[in-house]
Amino acid sequence: MNRTDRLYALVEELRACAPRRVSARELAARYEVSVRTIERDIGALQQAGVPIFADVGRGGGYTLDRSRTLPPLNFTPAEAVAVAIALARADGSPYSRSARTALHKIVAAMSADDGASARELAARIRFLAPAEGDDEASVPAVLEQAVLSRRVVRLTYVDRTGAETERDVEPVTFTASGDGWYLTAWCRMRGGRRIFRTDRVRRAALLEETAPDRSTESVHDDIPSDYVVRPLEFV
C-alpha cells in the first residue's frame, strides 16, 4: 500500500472506530509499517486539518471527531479537479488558507482510486504566471477572523498617496473586483463607511470588542451605475 492510500485508509479506520481510541501500535500492525511511520502519517493528516486527537499513556491512542469529517464523497476526478482549480484561484483572497485545507479534506474523503485519478488529472493542469513581479498580497488572517467573528479590528493602513494612519474599524464585508480584494468597514476615525484595499493593510490587530450589526446592503449603496454587486453563491 502506498502512502496516499494508507492516509486515506487511516482516516476511514479512525472514523469507523470512533469514538474508540486506536493505538499507534494497532495501526502499525494493521498496515504493516512501523509505529514511527504511523505517527508521521497522523501528523500529516492533522496538519491537513483532519480532526484527529491523540491521548498519550496507557490506554491512549488516536480518535477522530466524526461530526467534523466527511464520509466518502461521490466526487468524480474531474469534479475534484474543477474544485481544485477554483480554490487555486483563491490565492490572495479571504480564507485562502482555509481553501487549501478544504481541498485536502475533499481529496482525503474520496475513494482511493478516484483520489489517485484526480491527482493524475491535476498533474496535467498548468497556470501561467509572470516570471517576475510582486506576488499578490495575501489578506491578513486577522481580517478574515474579524469578519468571521464580527470583531472590531485596529488597522495600520497606507492610502494611495502613501500616508499611513492607524484606525479602529468595524468590518462588514469583503468585496472582490478586477483590481483585488477590499474590506468594507465602518471607520471610527472618519465616522463613516470606508473601503480599504487589503493589500494596503500593513498591520491588523483583533480587538476584544464585538462590532455592532451593520447591514451588508447599506455598505454598497453608492456603486457605479454600470456595476452590480453579486453575493457569493453558496448552494
Side-chain angles (χ1 to χ4, degrees):
M1 179 181 290
N2 61 39
R3 186 169 188 256
T4 298
D5 290 342
R6 189 174 64 249
L7 291 175
Y8 171 80
L10 282 170
V11 173
E12 291 307 304
E13 177 80 14
L14 293 175
R15 181 185 288 112
C17 293
R20 183 177 71 85
R21 289 170 174 76
V22 185
S23 71
R25 190 173 298 278
E26 287 180 76
L27 293 171
R30 180 178 297 275
Y31 297 106
E32 299 180 342
V33 295
S34 68
V35 170
R36 186 170 181 80
T37 295
I38 292 296
E39 291 172 345
R40 284 198 299 264
D41 288 348
I42 294 294
L45 290 168
Q46 289 172 325
Q47 289 180 3
V50 181
I52 298 174
F53 303 96
D55 287 332
V56 297
R58 187 174 183 179
Y62 300 110
T63 186
L64 183 144
D65 185 350
R66 298 179 67 178
S67 67
R68 295 178 56 198
T69 61
L70 294 169
L73 299 178
N74 293 322
F75 273 74
T76 67
E79 287 172 337
V81 170
V83 172
I85 291 171
L87 295 180
R89 294 292 189 185
D91 283 349
S93 69
Y95 310 106
S96 58
R97 300 167 187 82
S98 298
R100 288 190 289 272
T101 60
L103 181 60
H104 283 300
K105 291 179 181 179
I106 288 172
V107 175
M110 295 174 67
S111 70
D113 288 344
D114 283 348
S117 296
R119 290 185 180 88
E120 181 182 350
L121 179 57
R124 290 183 269 138
I125 306 296
R126 297 289 186 271
F127 292 97
L128 187 64
E132 299 180 356
D134 295 333
D135 293 335
E136 187 176 6
S138 297
V139 177
V142 67
L143 296 185
E144 301 172 11
Q145 185 60 34
V147 173
L148 179 66
S149 60
R150 212 180 70 208
R151 298 259 293 279
V152 178
V153 63
R154 182 163 294 159
L155 303 181
T156 300
Y157 186 74
V158 177
D159 65 19
R160 68 182 63 182
T161 68
E164 184 176 294
T165 57
E166 183 178 275
R167 59 185 81 194
D168 293 352
V169 305
E170 302 166 9
V172 182
T173 66
F174 283 119
T175 304
S177 77
D179 297 325
W181 281 87
Y182 298 82
L183 173 70
T184 303
W186 182 269
C187 178
R188 292 182 172 179
M189 184 175 77
R190 302 299 186 191
R193 180 185 60 84
R194 291 293 184 272
I195 299 175
F196 304 94
R197 279 186 54 146
T198 57
D199 58 355
R200 290 179 179 163
V201 176
R202 293 294 178 263
R203 289 179 294 279
L206 200 63
L207 305 184
E208 294 298 326
E209 182 183 356
T210 300
D213 188 11
R214 297 188 182 276
S215 169
T216 57
E217 302 301 326
S218 63
V219 298
H220 299 296
D221 56 6
D222 60 350
I223 63 170
S225 59
D226 55 342
Y227 279 77
V228 294
V229 175
R230 292 187 296 104
L232 175 67
E233 295 181 358
F234 195 74
V235 295

